[in-house]
Amino acid sequence: MKETIDRLRSEGSERIKAAGSESEVEAVRVALLGRKGEITSLLRGLKDVDPAERPAMGAELNRLKLDLGELLDSRQAEIGGTGGSSANLVGDLTLPGVPPAAAGTNHPLLTVLESICDIFYGMGFSRDDGPEVELDYYNFTALNFPDDHPARDIQDTFYIDPKVCLRTQTSPVQVRTMERNEPPLASIFPGRVYRNENADASHSSEFFQIEGLVVDKSISMADLKDTVDTFVRNFFGADEPTRFRPHFFPFTEPSVEVDMQCVVCRGSGCGVCGQTGWLEIMGAGMVHPNVFKAVGYPEDVYTGFAFGMGIDRIAMLKYGVGDIRLLYENDLRFLTQFRGVF
Amino acid sequence: MKISLDWLAEYVSWDDTPGELAAKLTSVGLNVEGLEEYRQTFPEVVIAHVVEREQHPDADRLSLCSVDDGTGEPVQVVCGAPNVREGLTVLFARVGAVLPGNFKIKKSKIRGVESFGMICSANELGLSSEAAGIMELATELAPGTPADELYGFSDTVLDIEVTPNRPDWLSHIGVAREVAAIYGTMVSMPPVWSFQPSSENLGFQIKIEDPDDCHRYGAFGASGVQIGPSPDWMQNRLRAIGSRPINNLVDITNYVMFELGQPMHAFDRAKLTGDTITIRAAEPGTLVTTLDEQERKLGKGTLLVCDGDGPIALAGVMGLANTEVTDSTTELILESAFFNPKLVRTASRGLGLVSESSYRFERGSDWDMVEKAALRALQLYHDLAGANILPAWADRQDPDRKAVQSIPLRLWQVNRVLGTSLTTDQVAQHLQSLGLKVQPMGNSGKGSRNAVDMMVRIPSFRRDLFQEIDLIEEIARSYGLDNLSGGSGFCGAGGGVRDQDDLMQRRMRHWFSDCGYHEMVTSSFLGSGDNERLGMSEEDPRSQTLAVINPHHGGDTQLRTTLLPSLMDVVRRNLNAGASTPVRLFQINRTFWPAGAKRTDYLQKDDLLLPEEPVFLQFAVAGWRRSGLDGIPSDLLEIKGSLESLGTHLRLSLELEAADSEIWLQAGSQWLIKDRNGKVVGSAGRVDPGVLDRFDIELPVAVAEINLSAADLTPEPMKFQPFTRFPAVRRDLSLLVPAETNWSSIRETVINSAGPLLEQVELFDIYRGKGVSEGKGAFGIRLKFRSQKGNLKGKTVDKAIVKILEGLSGRLNIEPRSQD
Ligand SMILES: [Zn+2]
């Protein structure tokens, strides 16, 4: 039997090498390993072998069977078969797949909002919400907007009655949060805000903002700068230069606006950035002592910073959307483009 | 605010390109939003002499001229101006010149005569609105000299965003102060008139009824003024910053306003009556005609300047027509004042009239500038209008309101807020560079909490500086915000706490989008008539809406109490746009319920005025006509399936109960949604066809709305249960079910009859028709049995099946379908 095994090993490998097509390889496979193949019949004949030799022979035969099987597979792969046995083919594997469900979308505004929140959650911020129909007191007075001061002109406000308005900014949530909590505080306040103005390509009477607030015993402007830089690095990428410009907001002082190098022209000036090379992305500053006073914090104990940004503008920049109204039409030809965006 | 660099250079010097200057101004807070090259240039327009002038052969009013334009060849040109004559020196536009308004000069034929160019009027060159005739020059410059030598002007204009706290930047001198601080140079003030002492009297005294309304009022006089165009340099600068030159008298007050920031007003003295100028509040309802020829009705609190007869100006806003300076004016009274900013603002808002003057006054002007600016204007009246300045003037002031004060500053607070380690000397230098005067208090300079390290004196042009933090901002600007660094990281905030409602909403949003729904962001406002379209009765509490009282033009006013109208709008839009159906949509948004203000957690009692703002989840399947299992519309089954699956994925219990409760859902096709406590938190079903019709939607819409603020959204806690590894036994049954019997009762009966071994029961088919007796349905159900104790024997399962069939037969009259 030993000789037969040796002969089959050499002959078999020769025949496999000689096979020139998938069907020839298959024919050799049948002749050697098939139900009536030579190796199969040898295996059947094992029972007639001397019991002392039987285990060795059995092992030898099995090894031969495996080796030839491997040779057959690799020869088949060489010729260009599918790798599997053609007997297992079910049909046209290029037919369209069947998804478990149709692909929906999340709204790009909320996707952007969510990813911004995640960055701040990672930095240890909590989250608070406040009413959209807000007291004039929280929207303006407690935020150090003097009554009847031009600073109020910046924001055209929808009023429900003289004491109640639709919030023009997420900043009133700062005040509500401070009123209810003692520092240390680090929180973000995302949400919808309203401005009493006519809609055009860059203005909407409703839009989204996110506000952030940090208060503790020695929070400095340098901390604000670090926080903003960390955010920009995470959200826009590692290499985006930022600059701080002094600005004015009644509820922070010193106040700044933060610009990022224009993502379109990389600083050389283009239509998107009004030729300045910079894009304004947020307003920020150190919480004004008058705001601390309004929430009842003792004088000189705490310092803190606050920042706020418009989500719509950032989404438009990020995805190249030129008209803010597209964000509120909910047209599927718009929304479906955001499939898979997170 | 537009700043001309040509103009600015008169007061300060800097050694930098305009771009660099703009960048440095931006970095200290004067945000330069635009940098524009301003050019007034006239290519192909030259000085020329009219050598000959004849009548045009075919037109009485036209002249045929021969012009020497310096080329050596006389040029033939037709001219229509009445004042053209031989020997004039004129500005001549050659063929090829392009005049303002893109007016191209071409060779042309006018009434049969060829004309090669045009002799220009000042109007045609954009130099004046005068269109009377061609310009007559008195210049020695030779023919052919470009017109630019006389009238060319080029400038760089910065467009600066000025925040409301810095009215001092609404002038060239204010910007010059910042330039001087940046470059370490000096500001030089323009020349002003100096009075010789005199005992003469102006002829008017000033009366201020309430010193709170007007802190200072000065009146100055000039006689013998000659009205005419202002000089080119003044016109050029005004034009460069977008202000139209009118005549020397008007231009001078405008020029000084843009130069020094102080708005002033000139009256025609001949039109003033009496001997007193009175500043008083208007009687409400007074009618006046302002300089812009508008008749205006004054509201309460409008501050007036009056003469013997009555109002002559709306203080700080605009003069009145009755005392306007005109071509025949020879004597002026110049007003320079400090009006209460709030009053100017009230008047300007009330009248809907914002002027350059009111814009500055309402932001707060500079006390000292009241006098300085007037003297500057007088100097210009003298120099440019030949005026004789009256040696007497009247000045009524309340010196207590002069805005000069000293603010204590602590080094400790400076370094704490900025995260810096500045010394007393460094802080003092930063402040001094901005024109603030610093008096050190002789402390150690170590900066301790209670030590005032210096007193800082505030000049009158910085009315925005009141308290220590204002000075710290100035130090930050001067130090450079980009130099701040090395924050400690805000330690001690204790780490963030994730809000559970927010997490739950986030999971919902992702679950819906993963399942094929598209997320909407819709307006908080209802469209007009939306609630009527829903068929909402007046008794429905949701018909009570909040409304804004001052919507922008044409805007919607009512805040929504339900999300449905916004869905209808989005569905209609998308179906009309040919979206493929079904359209699956969802949103999580707030609604506003005015009646619901039952807050207990308020800190301000006015919080009771605020509405409840419940957050709703809404999802919908629109435009699907298909039928599903047993003929039920697929959209209804999908809404139900989505809700159940949502519950499973979020570990919530959301039960549906068939009931007709929602007015805008179709009867017999709707459910109530209950949370795990059995509380009704929403509804689901098919939108009523009448409602669809009123929203112009022709295809069905199935929708569910859940009040997330009312529902118990705590996820079912997860606790591991040991499971058995013994195999399950499956059995299928085919049942003949009478028409009236619903699946829910079958399921319940099966479970109750089967005993503890039944693990799962599923409906996999309903068949009606051939082979099934009329009125009945063949229900295919699959049962799964398992024992916790060992392998189930067939006989045990058989016994359970018998019990189930007995139960079904006994309680619901359901028999197994025979297998024939
Ligand atoms: Zn750009």
Side-chain angles (χ1 to χ4, degrees):
Chain A
M1 192 163 202
K2 182 77 173 71
E3 301 86 69
T4 322
I5 291 171
D6 289 345
R7 180 180 55 80
L8 274 177
R9 185 178 285 279
S10 60
E11 266 183 29
S13 53
E14 286 304 313
R15 283 164 71 185
I16 292 166
K17 260 182 237 163
S21 70
E22 282 185 58
S23 57
E24 281 177 37
V25 175
E26 207 46 41
V28 177
R29 191 190 295 273
V30 171
L32 294 174
L33 307 176
R35 210 153 47 83
K36 292 175 180 170
E38 295 184 49
I39 291 173
T40 319
S41 41
L42 276 180
L43 278 165
R44 277 198 204 103
L46 266 181
K47 62 182 190 300
D48 303 327
V49 175
D50 178 354
E53 287 183 40
R54 208 181 286 160
M57 280 301 130
E60 186 83 357
L61 260 178
N62 274 321
R63 203 174 305 122
L64 175 63
K65 188 181 169 189
L66 285 173
D67 289 350
L68 291 177
E70 232 165 73
L71 280 174
L72 281 161
D73 288 349
S74 64
R75 180 65 186 147
Q76 180 144 17
E78 262 170 47
I79 291 167
T82 53
S85 160
S86 61
N88 293 338
L89 270 179
V90 294
D92 183 357
L93 295 183
T94 67
L95 289 176
V98 178
T105 44
N106 285 114
H107 196 286
L109 273 176
L110 301 180
T111 300
V112 166
L113 192 62
E114 189 175 283
S115 52
I116 292 175
C117 287
D118 281 345
I119 291 168
F120 288 108
Y121 293 148
M123 290 160 73
F125 283 72
S126 303
R127 169 197 171 114
D128 284 282
D129 284 309
E132 289 174 21
V133 179
E134 182 57 285
L135 293 177
D136 181 89
Y137 172 79
Y138 284 110
N139 197 68
F140 292 119
T141 311
L143 287 167
N144 195 36
F145 281 78
D147 282 344
D148 205 32
H149 185 274
R152 288 195 176 194
D153 279 357
I154 307 171
Q155 298 165 339
D156 289 305
T157 312
F158 283 116
Y159 278 93
I160 301 285
D161 66 44
K163 280 182 171 176
V164 179
C165 63
L166 303 189
R167 67 177 178 194
T168 58
Q169 46 192 354
T170 40
S171 317
V173 194
Q174 277 185 34
V175 181
R176 288 183 177 275
T177 301
M178 284 191 275
E179 274 186 345
R180 287 173 160 77
N181 300 280
E182 281 296 313
L185 282 177
S187 202
I188 48 170
F189 322 116
R192 188 188 293 242
V193 300
Y194 301 83
R195 299 278 165 93
N196 194 356
E197 55 190 19
N198 288 313
D200 62 26
S202 47
H203 297 88
S204 168
S205 53
E206 297 170 59
F207 54 98
F208 286 79
Q209 277 189 347
I210 185 166
E211 187 96 357
L213 174 73
V214 173
V215 184
D216 202 348
K217 285 190 172 154
S218 60
I219 296 295
S220 75
M221 196 126 187
D223 295 317
L224 166 62
K225 201 150 184 288
D226 281 1
T227 306
V228 169
D229 285 344
T230 305
F231 164 72
V232 172
R233 256 201 323 277
N234 276 281
F235 187 77
F236 291 101
D239 305 321
E240 303 295 347
T242 57
R243 70 174 185 189
F244 272 39
R245 274 186 290 110
H247 201 73
F248 169 75
F249 304 106
F251 46 102
T252 50
E253 188 163 13
S255 297
V256 298
E257 278 188 336
V258 182
D259 294 343
M260 187 183 74
Q261 194 178 74
C262 177
V263 290
V264 178
C265 65
R266 300 273 148 210
S268 59
C270 69
V272 173
C273 58
Q275 308 305 329
T276 61
W278 295 95
L279 294 168
E280 179 194 323
I281 52 166
M282 65 166 84
M286 301 303 292
V287 178
H288 197 287
N290 292 357
V291 177
F292 284 150
K293 199 191 265 178
V295 302
Y297 286 174
E299 201 181 335
D300 273 352
V301 174
Y302 300 116
T303 53
F305 64 77
F307 58 85
M309 57 192 140
I311 302 301
D312 300 58
R313 183 175 155 74
I314 287 176
M316 289 165 76
L317 281 175
K318 184 161 175 149
Y319 303 124
V321 177
D323 190 328
I324 195 172
R325 289 169 291 199
L326 284 166
L327 295 173
Y328 296 91
E329 282 172 355
N330 301 295
D331 191 312
L332 290 178
R333 292 166 294 189
F334 175 78
L335 292 178
T336 50
Q337 293 185 33
F338 292 89
R339 280 188 176 128
V341 171
F342 64 93
Chain B
M1 175 71 195
K2 292 206 166 170
I3 294 292
S4 145
L5 294 191
D6 173 69
W7 193 340
L8 189 67
E10 189 155 329
Y11 318 114
V12 68
S13 63
W14 65 92
D15 186 16
D16 240 337
T17 62
E20 280 300 315
L21 173 67
K24 285 180 181 155
L25 285 170
T26 297
S27 75
V28 298
L30 294 96
N31 187 22
V32 178
E33 291 182 315
L35 189 153
E36 182 196 327
E37 290 303 318
Y38 176 83
R39 277 196 208 302
Q40 182 174 295
T41 178
F42 308 97
E44 292 300 308
V45 179
V46 295
I47 290 164
H49 289 151
V50 180
V51 183
E52 275 177 36
R53 185 238 157 229
E54 296 167 16
Q55 187 66 37
H56 186 288
D58 278 338
D60 292 348
R61 296 199 180 159
L62 296 180
S63 307
L64 181 58
C65 305
S66 174
V67 164
D68 173 9
D69 73 340
T71 49
E73 294 286 317
V75 184
Q76 172 172 302
V77 60
V78 174
C79 180
N83 61 331
V84 66
R85 57 191 188 274
E86 249 172 57
L88 274 189
T89 303
V90 296
L91 285 180
F92 175 66
R94 289 169 171 160
V95 170
V98 180
L99 302 188
N102 203 24
F103 175 30
K104 293 186 178 115
I105 303 299
K106 295 176 192 154
K107 179 181 139 186
S108 61
K109 225 174 202 178
I110 300 167
R111 294 284 184 101
V113 179
E114 287 193 310
S115 178
F116 300 87
M118 187 174 84
I119 304 175
C120 303
S121 71
N123 183 38
E124 282 155 346
L125 293 173
L127 292 172
S128 153
S129 48
E130 242 5 72
I134 56 170
M135 292 172 79
E136 301 183 20
L137 304 186
T139 172
E140 301 299 316
L141 291 173
T145 309
D148 286 358
E149 298 248 332
L150 284 174
Y151 294 104
F153 177 64
S154 78
D155 196 357
T156 304
V157 179
L158 305 183
D159 194 353
I160 295 179
E161 177 196 11
V162 176
T163 49
N165 60 324
R166 293 305 301 263
D168 58 314
W169 287 345
L170 293 169
S171 66
H172 282 75
I173 211 77
V175 175
R177 284 191 202 106
E178 294 293 339
V179 173
I182 294 169
Y183 292 93
T185 53
M186 300 293 288
V187 174
S188 60
M189 296 296 285
V192 299
W193 185 253
S194 65
F195 278 103
Q196 301 303 318
S198 149
S199 57
E200 272 185 67
N201 192 307
L202 181 68
F204 286 99
Q205 52 175 334
I206 312 296
K207 188 177 161 203
I208 298 174
E209 285 200 348
D210 184 347
D212 197 36
D213 295 348
C214 176
H215 304 175
R216 187 172 186 187
Y217 194 99
F220 304 79
S223 62
V225 296
Q226 289 150 30
I227 200 156
S230 35
D232 294 332
W233 59 264
M234 182 177 274
Q235 292 198 32
N236 287 340
R237 285 176 176 177
L238 287 172
R239 255 187 238 114
I241 64 164
S243 174
R244 196 167 57 92
I246 312 280
N247 60 48
N248 52 1
L249 302 186
V250 176
D251 292 354
I252 285 168
T253 40
N254 282 337
Y255 186 85
V256 176
M257 177 176 66
F258 293 123
E259 180 181 54
L260 302 177
Q262 170 72 13
M264 289 177 290
H265 183 66
F267 300 102
D268 185 337
R269 181 178 183 142
K271 295 173 185 166
L272 297 180
T273 59
D275 61 0
T276 307
I277 292 173
T278 308
I279 292 86
R280 63 167 172 85
E283 301 288 330
T286 307
L287 282 174
V288 297
T289 304
T290 40
L291 281 178
D292 54 4
E293 285 158 19
Q294 300 284 313
E295 180 159 282
R296 298 175 190 272
K297 192 172 181 178
L298 304 183
K300 192 164 162 262
T302 311
L303 191 63
L304 293 176
V305 181
C306 302
D307 67 1
D309 286 345
I312 52 172
L314 307 180
V317 181
M318 193 177 270
L320 299 185
N322 56 12
T323 49
E324 184 179 6
V325 170
T326 62
D327 286 354
S328 56
T329 300
T330 57
E331 282 186 275
L332 296 177
I333 291 292
L334 176 71
E335 160 199 295
S336 185
F338 187 107
F339 297 113
N340 181 335
K342 285 187 178 178
L343 288 178
V344 174
R345 181 174 152 83
T346 308
S348 161
R349 298 230 108 191
L351 293 165
L353 177 60
V354 178
S355 61
E356 293 280 1
S357 166
S358 70
Y359 191 78
R360 285 170 176 76
F361 276 126
E362 69 173 59
R363 281 162 173 72
S365 47
D366 175 354
W367 174 280
D368 285 349
M369 214 40 105
V370 168
E371 185 177 329
K372 283 185 197 155
L375 300 182
R376 170 65 174 152
L378 295 180
Q379 179 73 43
L380 293 172
Y381 285 142
H382 175 268
D383 294 350
L384 309 179
N388 169 34
I389 306 305
L390 302 192
W393 53 290
D395 181 11
R396 174 75 55 186
Q397 55 174 284
D398 179 357
D400 289 350
R401 295 171 192 272
K402 197 170 177 175
V404 176
Q405 54 163 340
S406 287
I407 302 174
L409 180 67
R410 296 167 297 170
L411 190 63
W412 170 77
Q413 184 73 338
V414 173
N415 286 325
R416 190 165 85 115
V417 170
L418 299 182
T420 49
S421 42
L422 295 169
T423 63
T424 316
D425 283 351
Q426 288 168 322
V427 166
Q429 274 171 24
H430 286 301
L431 293 171
Q432 279 158 351
S433 76
L434 294 162
L436 310 181
K437 294 202 173 61
V438 176
Q439 176 165 17
M441 301 300 283
N443 289 327
S444 63
K446 290 206 179 101
S448 72
R449 180 187 191 125
N450 296 313
V452 172
D453 296 280
M454 58 190 82
M455 294 298 292
V456 182
R457 233 173 109 78
I458 307 305
S460 73
F461 57 84
R462 290 303 305 272
R463 296 181 66 87
D464 59 309
L465 304 179
F466 296 103
Q467 59 195 94
E468 187 179 52
I469 193 70
D470 302 332
L471 297 176
I472 294 174
E473 178 167 67
E474 293 304 297
I475 296 161
R477 286 202 307 126
S478 176
Y479 178 75
L481 295 173
D482 287 325
N483 297 328
L484 296 173
S485 67
S488 54
F490 47 91
C491 302
V497 181
R498 292 301 307 274
D499 177 68
Q500 286 306 306
D501 290 348
D502 174 44
L503 276 175
M504 186 53 83
Q505 285 182 22
R506 177 184 288 222
R507 294 204 57 205
M508 287 181 183
R509 294 180 48 241
H510 288 280
W511 185 84
F512 276 104
S513 64
D514 287 347
C515 290
Y517 288 84
H518 299 285
E519 184 171 27
M520 302 177 276
V521 171
T522 56
S523 170
S524 296
F525 290 100
L526 287 174
S528 68
D530 272 349
N531 276 351
E532 291 72 31
R533 282 185 201 98
L534 293 181
M536 225 182 240
S537 71
E538 280 177 26
E539 288 82 60
D540 192 320
R542 293 169 301 184
S543 68
Q544 301 302 311
T545 56
L546 283 179
V548 298
I549 51 179
N550 61 334
H552 50 74
H553 180 68
D556 297 317
T557 59
Q558 288 176 296
L559 291 173
R560 61 181 168 193
T561 50
T562 149
L563 303 181
L564 196 73
S566 62
L567 171 73
M568 295 286 97
D569 186 54
V570 174
V571 166
R572 181 184 59 245
R573 237 181 237 261
N574 279 297
L575 291 180
N576 288 350
S580 51
T581 52
V583 173
R584 295 184 177 89
L585 296 163
F586 81 101
Q587 60 178 323
I588 297 177
N589 270 317
R590 295 193 193 190
T591 57
F592 304 87
W593 294 2
K598 297 183 196 84
R599 290 164 188 259
T600 51
D601 61 339
Y602 61 89
L603 292 176
Q604 297 288 325
K605 71 170 172 24
D606 284 343
D607 267 3
L608 290 168
L609 300 171
L610 300 181
E612 249 193 309
E613 299 185 7
V615 176
F616 275 76
L617 162 69
Q618 175 198 59
F619 60 96
V621 177
W624 218 8
R625 287 197 191 279
R626 216 167 72 181
S627 290
L629 190 63
D630 205 25
I632 306 285
S634 295
D635 53 4
L636 268 182
L637 292 175
E638 185 165 317
I639 287 292
K640 181 177 184 185
S642 294
L643 202 72
E644 289 166 345
S645 180
L646 176 74
T648 309
H649 277 82
L650 273 56
R651 303 182 71 83
L652 301 175
S653 153
L654 295 169
E655 294 289 331
L656 289 172
E657 184 183 306
D660 290 345
S661 63
E662 184 55 87
I663 179 78
W664 59 71
L665 296 178
Q666 197 174 346
S669 301
Q670 54 168 303
W671 299 277
L672 290 173
I673 303 170
K674 293 181 170 177
D675 72 359
R676 78 160 57 80
N677 310 319
K679 182 175 176 187
V680 175
V681 293
S683 58
R686 265 192 150 189
V687 178
D688 184 81
V691 174
L692 289 177
D693 197 46
R694 291 192 287 277
F695 280 99
D696 286 328
I697 296 172
E698 289 171 357
L699 293 170
V701 178
V703 64
E705 282 193 11
I706 302 176
N707 182 342
L708 298 182
S709 306
D712 181 351
L713 296 179
T714 323
E716 205 64 56
M718 164 62 202
K719 182 148 192 327
F720 169 70
Q721 300 289 332
F723 58 91
T724 169
R725 293 177 191 271
F726 298 115
V729 176
R730 288 183 177 77
R731 292 287 173 87
D732 289 355
L733 292 180
S734 182
L735 304 172
L736 278 175
V737 178
E740 310 305 315
T741 315
N742 66 29
W743 163 243
S744 148
S745 57
I746 299 172
R747 187 170 182 274
E748 205 175 308
T749 307
V750 169
I751 292 168
N752 291 341
S753 324
L757 297 178
L758 182 67
E759 187 177 88
Q760 197 180 320
V761 48
E762 255 177 77
L763 174 68
F764 65 87
D765 186 34
I766 299 178
Y767 173 74
R768 297 182 204 273
K770 206 176 159 197
V772 177
S773 41
E774 187 73 19
K776 294 202 173 185
F779 281 44
I781 68 172
R782 177 158 297 160
L783 306 170
K784 196 158 132 193
F785 298 90
R786 199 195 301 269
S787 162
Q788 306 294 319
K789 292 173 192 147
N791 285 331
L792 268 185
K793 295 203 172 76
K795 276 184 194 162
T796 321
V797 176
D798 290 344
K799 278 184 198 158
I801 295 284
V802 168
K803 287 235 170 88
I804 289 169
L805 290 176
E806 279 172 8
L808 287 171
S809 170
R811 287 186 223 168
L812 299 173
N813 196 22
I814 291 173
E815 302 301 333
R817 192 181 173 197
S818 53
Q819 301 295 319
D820 46 22

